[in-house]
Amino acid sequence: VAISVNTFGKGLVYYVGTYLDEPAQQALLTRFLKTAKVTTNASAPGIEVRARVRLDEVEIYIVINHTSHQHIIQLPWTAFEHLTGQELKADIPLTAYGVLVVSPLKE
């Protein structure tokens, strides 16, 4: 078993030279995210969420439903939906194979 970590510039480099079972992989990934102060967006299986930041620093979230049934998406903020131009609140229906492109609205 070989796992090492070294500093590089302002960051860290991890070397994992071993097979890790699912719980060990999850524990290591959790440590990486915590150390890097990265927060994640929890989503249901089959729902993909990707974040991007525009040059003007507006956060854009692309939400894709890869399943054959509708899901209800719950955002932690009121959102602007870029594809329809609508303001979205609370429980947002995402159709089968549907896509949302949303940004938080400033309150």
Side-chain angles (χ1 to χ4, degrees), residues 3-6 12-14 16 23-38:
I3 299 176
S4 65
V5 62
N6 297 293
L12 300 172
V13 176
Y14 287 84
V16 180
Q25 287 180 34
Q26 190 60 48
L28 190 59
L29 180 59
T30 299
R31 179 179 174 153
F32 293 165
L33 295 174
K34 184 176 180 181
T35 300
K37 297 179 182 159
V38 172

Side-chain angles (χ1 to χ4, degrees), residues 42-89:
S43 61
I47 303 298
E48 178 181 358
V49 179
R50 295 286 179 240
R52 300 290 183 262
V53 180
R54 294 190 328 201
L55 292 176
D56 60 0
E57 299 186 8
V58 171
E59 296 172 326
I60 305 277
Y61 294 88
I62 303 164
V63 184
I64 305 170
N65 182 355
H66 293 284
T67 72
S68 61
H69 55 280
Q70 177 176 293
H71 283 269
I72 301 299
I73 306 299
Q74 297 174 337
L75 298 174
W77 24 255
T78 301
F80 174 76
E81 210 293 317
H82 294 268
L83 299 176
T84 64
Q86 295 180 324
E87 183 176 310
L88 303 176
K89 297 179 183 180

